[in-house]
Amino acid sequence: RRLVDGVAGDRLVFKRRGSPDPRDAPRAEGEGRKTRKLLFLMDCSGSMYRFQMLDGRLARMLEAAMLVMESLEGLDEKYEYEIRGHSGETEA
């Protein structure tokens, strides 16, 4: 969980010494915490398929996508994420 929180920019992942940051103070009951939006862009170009037999890049990308989805499972109230594919021929 700390890895996901750290990547998303959470300031409370690691303990810090010194005076606490006022932005990290607990919020009032009416103030809900906003969900963080994450976008993962995956390479879907022809080279991913073409070089799969050479270095296994497509399999590694699929494993990385599964790692992201499994890491964010059950954290729907905290993170909203999208995984998009881009081939390089149009704007993402």
Side-chain angles (χ1 to χ4, degrees), residues 55-86:
D55 59 7
R57 63 180 67 185
L58 185 58
R60 286 196 318 269
M61 184 188 68
L62 292 174
E63 290 171 1
M66 286 300 300
L67 179 70
V68 166
M69 290 187 283
E70 289 172 356
S71 297
L72 293 170
E73 188 175 355
L75 299 173
D76 298 335
E77 70 282 347
K78 208 170 181 183
Y79 303 105
E80 178 182 323
Y81 73 96
E82 294 180 36
I83 298 178
R84 295 185 187 174
H86 182 56

Side-chain angles (χ1 to χ4, degrees), residues 4-75:
V4 174
D5 292 341
V7 169
D10 195 351
R11 292 185 304 273
L12 297 176
V13 175
F14 304 104
K15 289 185 178 182
R16 296 183 187 186
R17 296 180 184 198
S19 58
D21 189 347
R23 296 177 294 176
D24 295 334
R27 298 174 188 244
E29 194 172 309
E31 287 184 54
R33 185 173 187 170
K34 292 183 179 179
T35 58
R36 296 185 185 227
K37 296 181 181 182
L38 305 172
L39 173 65
F40 298 94
L41 190 62
M42 300 295 182
D43 185 0
C44 294
S45 64
S47 65
M48 292 297 286
Y49 177 76
R50 187 178 317 126
F51 295 112
Q52 166 63 20
M53 298 306 267
L54 188 66
D55 59 7
R57 63 180 67 185
L58 185 58
R60 286 196 318 269
M61 184 188 68
L62 292 174
E63 290 171 1
M66 286 300 300
L67 179 70
V68 166
M69 290 187 283
E70 289 172 356
S71 297
L72 293 170
E73 188 175 355
L75 299 173

